[in-house]
Amino acid sequence: MVADIRPLAAVLVSAVAIVLIIASHRRPNLREGWSVLAALTKFGLVASMLPAVMDGTVFRWSLKESTGIQFLEGIDFALRADPLGIFFALLASFLWIFTSFYAAGYMRGLSEHNQTRFFASFAASLSAAVGIAFAANLVTIFVFYELLSLVTYPLVAHNEDEEARIAGRKYLTYTFFGGGVFLLAGTVMIYWLTSLVSEGPTLAFEAGGMDTLAAAAQVEPVYAQAAFFLLIAGFGVKAALMPLHSWLADAMVAPTPVSGLLHAVAVVKSGAFGVARVILEVYGPGLIYDLPLDVPGIGEIGLNIPVAIVAAFTLTAASIIAMRKDHLKRRLAYSTTAQLSYIVLGLSLLHPYAIVGALFHIPAHAFAKLTLFFCAGAIHVETHTDYISEMAGIGKRMPLTMSAFTIGAAGMAGLPPIAGFVSKFYMLIGAGDVGGSYWLFAGALLLSAVLNIAYFWPVVYTAFFESEDRHDAKPLLEFPEGGLIQSYATTSDDESVAADGGEPADTSGIENEPHAADTDDYEYAVDKYPSDHTTAETDAPSQPTDARATETSTRDGHDDHDDHDESVAAVDHHGDHDDHLTGGPPAGGWPRRSPRTESTWLMLAPIAVIATGAVVLGIGPDYAVFLELATQIAEGVFGMPFEQLGDMPFGELMTEVTN
């Protein structure tokens, strides 16, 4: 272990950027420049530690060693760059670079209000996320975990209307108060448990689990079990495990770059990362396996089994719910709830292959899901379209965007050669190798993959294989769950002909209004204000883009755009929106565009790069640093080379690590 200030510097670089961003509020180009520079600097600091960490070096910075300050015995505010920490920090810092460019294009394209506050909060979020990655113990990770909830609240409530405020309060209630209380309670119990043995109290992470906690668990097994579930629940809130998940879908009221941050880069990944810390470096597979629960009528089961059951239920139920959502971002939100449970399920299986698959699914999901949200945001900026049922033929209007969406969707479903296939393959191999009742978890993984195809294929089909004048949603389920009622209704004067060529549907007595089949989504519009069209805009005649930008820049009678002039948007956004303000195709259908002209480079370049990254991770996983880091983490947890881990039967392996 080497004393080094770089873990602290990687956390603080974003904090410094906050000051510079706020100071540059009247100069938008400079303000966004600070965001990009901070992202590049953060990534450079993290990447500079990567080679040494992969060679076995751990970089550490400690407040006690630097200043002599220690809160309590065994409690030190410390940061360390170990394989698991560098894994998450590298991913978050890399993706922030492209999210910074995308956010600039998105916010300018919609002439959003309070852009300075937005970018400052964005920088603070990445600072907290890297703090979580490099936290050396449970107290440090708790501090940054709670800080992340606070600094992302302004992003969730960015629109400042009643809907956004409700979503923001719900977000804080779940993640800050709910998850924070669970995490703090578990941390206090771990501190008390480790104080019972001669080694003294400790909260520091150790690869394979804390030896002091393992000794204490023999003295107080019930309290050790309770602490485990409290920690899992605390991190499980941000990982959106059911029934702690509903904040995530409601948070989709935020601007789309925030959705990307929540789902791919920082917030939900911090929850999954925390679960990994608990399973791999607080308790360890050996202690989890050796500390069974006595369930009446069933007998003894490992602590991992209840976690695996909750994760399997979540990924299945969330996938089914996603199929019912016509609103694109809410469908993506429930998809995230399912995909994060893949990570938790793989970790809870305790098999080395499943653990590697779960860890690799963190970047696999991040690249694919960030692509999907980038695409959803680009569609919204360019066409004001948020509902899948209004996207018939939109592939010709946005060919690059929808092609990238197809790649991201394939990654979510685990189709080769996208990275999601590699991670899910490892998890399936791990579940199958354990055998027995673990085949049920393998079945849940396979079922969810099929459901992923079921709710992503209609989006791709609608975009590329339908025309605006002959729209047929081809839902998997009967209406209202599976699609809009008008998808089944007649489309011609001849009522004997149905849209799908079959018998006409009987829609008598059913209100046939837009989105009547999905009224919850209809009332809960994405980016409602000012990103979306308001009622006044919808009823007004079409306006040129510049006039619309001027109109949306004013709220409650005052300018709320940080005093940047309109020329900024004109420079960075081509102003070539379709001249309709409501969702769906304009009169005459979608205009055909080339990939270069469908949106701005600030949005298209990040979409293309991140989608390409998802493919590269899938085609060359052996050459991807994330897979190598994942295997190195597994080797550290089990204390033996990965090749040997693959050859050892699971029962024998658990006996070995337990002893």
Side-chain angles (χ1 to χ4, degrees):
M1 192 170 295
V2 177
D4 199 296
I5 200 173
R6 278 180 288 179
L8 177 64
V11 174
L12 293 181
V13 66
S14 301
V16 174
I18 295 172
V19 178
L20 298 173
I21 289 169
I22 294 174
S24 307
H25 70 281
R26 294 184 184 276
R27 302 177 64 184
N29 288 334
L30 181 61
R31 178 187 62 201
E32 272 83 294
W34 290 127
S35 296
V36 174
L37 180 60
L40 291 169
T41 304
K42 184 185 290 288
F43 176 71
L45 286 168
V46 174
S48 70
M49 296 182 281
L50 178 61
V53 169
M54 296 185 71
D55 287 337
T57 302
V58 174
F59 296 100
R60 175 183 169 86
W61 177 87
S62 167
L63 183 64
K64 177 184 176 182
E65 295 170 2
S66 300
T67 65
I69 298 175
Q70 186 177 21
F71 302 115
L72 289 172
E73 181 187 359
I75 298 180
D76 182 19
F77 187 82
L79 301 170
R80 75 178 192 188
D82 58 6
L84 186 54
I86 209 81
F87 186 96
F88 183 40
L90 187 70
L91 176 67
S93 59
F94 178 75
L95 293 181
W96 187 31
I97 298 172
F98 303 98
T99 306
S100 297
F101 285 104
Y102 180 88
Y106 182 94
M107 300 298 282
R108 293 183 181 191
L110 292 172
S111 297
E112 282 280 2
H113 68 295
N114 283 329
Q115 294 187 27
T116 298
R117 184 188 67 191
F118 175 90
F119 285 104
S121 298
F122 223 101
S125 301
L126 268 295
S127 183
V130 174
I132 291 172
F134 286 153
N137 54 57
L138 283 170
V139 168
T140 306
I141 201 172
F142 168 76
V143 171
F144 283 109
Y145 190 79
E146 293 291 77
L147 182 63
L148 181 62
S149 296
L150 290 176
V151 298
T152 49
Y153 169 78
L155 298 173
V156 175
H158 174 80
N159 290 340
E160 298 181 355
D161 59 4
E162 183 63 21
E163 195 170 37
R165 286 192 290 269
I166 291 173
R169 288 195 294 268
K170 186 173 186 179
Y171 172 70
L172 279 185
T173 301
Y174 272 75
T175 63
F176 183 80
F177 296 105
V181 168
F182 287 138
L183 183 55
L184 180 60
T187 300
V188 170
M189 290 187 69
I190 296 294
Y191 184 81
W192 171 73
L193 283 167
T194 55
S195 68
L196 298 177
V197 296
S198 58
E199 291 85 350
T202 181
L203 295 171
F205 301 131
E206 299 176 24
M210 299 160 54
D211 292 336
T212 306
L213 178 60
Q218 305 304 315
V219 180
E220 295 287 354
V222 175
Y223 288 105
Q225 293 167 347
F228 174 79
F229 290 117
L230 283 171
L231 293 175
I232 294 296
F235 289 116
V237 172
K238 277 196 172 77
L241 291 176
M242 288 184 174
L244 307 172
H245 69 290
S246 64
W247 65 268
L248 187 56
D250 288 352
M252 292 303 97
V253 71
T256 302
V258 179
S259 302
L261 174 78
L262 290 173
H263 288 259
V265 182
V267 178
V268 295
K269 288 299 191 301
S270 71
F273 175 80
V275 172
R277 283 289 196 196
V278 172
I279 291 178
L280 303 181
E281 298 187 349
V282 175
Y283 279 76
L287 178 57
I288 293 173
Y289 190 80
D290 195 40
L291 196 64
L293 290 168
D294 189 6
V295 180
I298 297 178
E300 292 187 343
I301 60 173
L303 290 180
N304 60 312
I305 298 300
V307 180
I309 291 174
V310 170
F313 172 79
T314 301
L315 65 89
T316 304
S319 298
I320 293 173
I321 295 173
M323 289 192 297
R324 301 182 55 169
K325 298 302 175 184
D326 186 37
H327 195 287
L328 180 58
K329 278 181 63 175
R330 287 179 72 86
R331 182 171 293 197
L332 295 180
Y334 281 102
S335 169
T336 296
T337 301
Q339 294 293 327
L340 266 292
S341 294
Y342 276 98
I343 299 170
V344 177
L345 178 57
L347 292 168
S348 62
L349 295 179
L350 304 183
H351 191 281
Y353 280 178
I355 290 173
V356 169
L359 292 174
F360 190 70
H361 197 62
I362 294 176
H365 172 262
F367 276 86
K369 185 52 65 71
L370 192 58
T371 298
L372 294 173
F373 272 108
F374 279 1
C375 293
I379 293 168
H380 176 75
V381 169
E382 295 298 329
T383 70
H384 293 280
T385 301
D386 301 314
Y387 290 89
I388 300 165
S389 58
E390 295 176 344
M391 294 180 183
I394 201 172
K396 66 182 179 183
R397 167 64 177 82
M398 307 193 73
L400 186 148
T401 298
M402 293 313 302
S403 297
F405 188 96
T406 303
I407 292 174
M412 291 294 92
L415 300 178
I418 318 301
F421 169 77
V422 178
S423 58
K424 294 180 181 182
F425 181 77
Y426 269 94
M427 284 186 272
L428 281 172
I429 293 297
D433 192 50
V434 176
S437 59
Y438 281 62
W439 277 107
L440 295 175
F441 301 124
L445 291 170
L446 292 172
L447 174 61
S448 181
V450 174
L451 295 177
N452 270 264
I453 297 173
Y455 64 74
F456 276 123
W457 169 247
V459 184
V460 178
Y461 177 87
T462 298
F464 287 112
F465 302 105
E466 289 187 349
S467 60
E468 302 90 321
D469 56 341
R470 294 189 59 82
H471 172 52
D472 177 15
K474 292 286 188 292
L476 184 72
L477 303 177
E478 286 293 329
F479 62 83
E481 291 84 356
L484 297 179
I485 295 171
Q486 49 264 60
S487 298
Y488 292 84
T490 60
T491 57
S492 66
D493 295 333
D494 183 5
E495 295 187 358
S496 64
V497 180
D500 59 358
E503 294 298 323
D506 180 11
T507 59
S508 59
I510 302 177
E511 184 180 3
N512 194 19
E513 295 292 335
H515 313 296
D518 201 359
T519 55
D520 176 61
D521 284 354
Y522 179 64
E523 295 297 330
Y524 200 99
V526 60
D527 302 333
K528 184 176 180 181
Y529 190 95
S531 305
D532 272 1
H533 49 280
T534 63
T535 303
E537 288 171 332
T538 303
D539 296 336
S542 297
Q543 306 172 44
T545 301
D546 292 341
R548 184 168 68 252
T550 303
E551 178 186 31
T552 57
S553 69
T554 304
R555 187 178 186 187
D556 298 330
H558 66 278
D559 186 22
D560 202 15
H561 274 277
D562 304 315
D563 298 324
H564 71 279
D565 49 20
E566 297 297 329
S567 62
V568 174
V571 170
D572 288 294
H573 197 78
H574 53 66
D576 200 16
H577 291 290
D578 299 315
D579 59 356
H580 65 295
L581 295 173
T582 58
W590 299 111
R592 189 174 295 277
R593 298 286 179 85
S594 70
R596 292 186 301 169
T597 61
E598 63 183 77
S599 185
T600 66
W601 71 268
L602 283 172
M603 302 181 74
L604 292 179
I607 289 174
V609 171
I610 301 303
T612 302
V615 177
V616 170
L617 282 177
I619 293 177
D622 290 338
Y623 302 99
V625 65
F626 291 110
L627 185 59
E628 187 173 350
L629 276 172
T631 57
Q632 184 176 347
I633 293 166
E635 290 175 345
V637 167
F638 291 98
M640 60 186 72
F642 192 71
E643 294 79 7
Q644 185 177 347
L645 291 174
D647 295 335
M648 187 176 296
F650 181 72
E652 183 180 337
L653 177 62
M654 288 295 102
T655 302
E656 182 72 20
V657 296
T658 300
N659 295 334

